[in-house]
Amino acid sequence: MVYTPPAPTEGVNGNSYEFKLDVAPLVSAPTEPSWLVCPDITTLQPNPQPKTADGGTYAHRGQDAPVGMGEAFTLGYDAKVIRNSEGKVAPFMALLLAASNASLPGGDPSKKVIMARVYHEWIEELAWQLSAEVSFQRKSTGNADVEFFSFTLTGQGDRKVIANPALDAPSAPTITAAEPSGAAEDEWIEILGTGFGDATGVTVGGSAAVFVPSTGGRMFVKIPAGDAGSAPIIVTTPAGPSSAFAYTRGA
């Protein structure tokens, strides 16, 4: 028989940019984290390192017989530093920097550990969630470089397989908080929750409100004209409207 080399697999090639990363403040189960999309990243590299113990017996006659006992997991990537109109970095970047500073004097210890999930746009099996500590260093130090920070997320031993968020049917948004209370016309409030990406509208007390588009679990909304008192907030996305969130506004 003459060996015939296999032909290349037919289909569309995958691309490196099809891996995605979201991060969120640490929450207690069963609360769903308020995920913040990390769009401005590159060189994303999941790095599992198996941890083994020697399972050899006389029957192995001196040969290795490693038994898998777990893993050490890190996630490395570079993120571009972008300043918004208020001179602030993106919410995902602010969370990562706060986590990296958490152990320092003056840092916030409650932000030391964050949640992260990494997943592929169309490969169903490639989707994981974990809690992690964060460290970073500057990648770009030249005189005319674009500023990138190199982050390392060190898993806390709880990495698990999850349903791929890119393939799940989208669910309606939820609102968990709105701050500050009592805001009046033309004042801004921040609302927190889940599923705000691709929001098509926000109403406060039934009136359409100006809002800053969100890719994660936080959004800024300007209070529209109206009377002081009860003014429920509703966020609408292509997946539908949120439940009305009770809010009391000023005049």
Side-chain angles (χ1 to χ4, degrees), residues 175 178 183-191 199-214 219-226 231-236 247 249:
I175 303 173
E185 181 180 349
D186 288 337
E187 293 182 338
W188 289 89
I189 62 171
E190 180 182 17
I191 60 175
T200 56
V202 179
T203 60
V204 179
S207 298
V210 174
F211 64 95
V212 177
S214 169
M219 180 187 293
F220 293 93
V221 177
K222 181 184 286 189
I223 299 295
I233 301 172
I234 297 175
V235 175
T236 300
Y247 182 78
R249 58 160 293 164

Side-chain angles (χ1 to χ4, degrees), residues 27 31 33 39 42 68 83 104 144 170 173 197 201 203 213-214 219 223-224:
V27 296
T31 304
T42 185
R83 179 177 58 191
L104 300 175
T203 60
S214 169
M219 180 187 293
I223 299 295

Side-chain angles (χ1 to χ4, degrees), residues 55-237:
T57 68
Y58 292 167
H60 291 94
R61 305 188 66 80
Q63 301 299 313
D64 288 343
V67 177
M69 304 298 289
E71 67 171 11
F73 182 81
T74 59
L75 184 67
Y77 58 96
D78 298 332
K80 185 163 64 173
V81 181
I82 298 176
R83 179 177 58 191
N84 66 16
S85 60
E86 298 178 347
K88 304 290 187 180
V89 295
F92 84 90
M93 178 74 75
L95 176 64
L96 293 167
L97 294 176
S100 69
N101 288 333
S103 296
L104 300 175
D108 184 349
S110 69
K111 295 181 179 178
K112 182 177 182 181
V113 177
I114 67 168
M115 302 295 296
R117 64 181 183 185
V118 59
Y119 52 97
H120 197 275
E121 284 187 6
W122 53 269
I123 301 178
E124 181 179 0
E125 296 82 0
L126 298 182
W128 312 290
Q129 182 173 312
L130 65 148
S131 60
E133 294 190 4
V134 182
S135 61
F136 92 102
Q137 61 184 29
R138 293 186 68 205
K139 177 183 180 181
S140 309
T141 59
N143 293 336
D145 289 344
V146 174
E147 183 76 282
F148 279 84
F149 290 160
S150 294
F151 287 98
T152 300
L153 274 55
T154 302
Q156 300 301 290
D158 60 352
R159 183 169 74 113
K160 64 181 181 180
V161 176
I162 60 172
N164 192 319
L167 302 179
D168 277 352
S171 57
T174 60
I175 303 173
T176 58
E179 301 174 345
S181 62
E185 181 180 349
D186 288 337
E187 293 182 338
W188 289 89
I189 62 171
E190 180 182 17
I191 60 175
L192 304 177
T194 61
F196 294 162
D198 299 322
T200 56
V202 179
T203 60
V204 179
S207 298
V210 174
F211 64 95
V212 177
S214 169
T215 56
R218 62 191 299 180
M219 180 187 293
F220 293 93
V221 177
K222 181 184 286 189
I223 299 295
D227 298 328
S230 176
I233 301 172
I234 297 175
V235 175
T236 300
T237 71

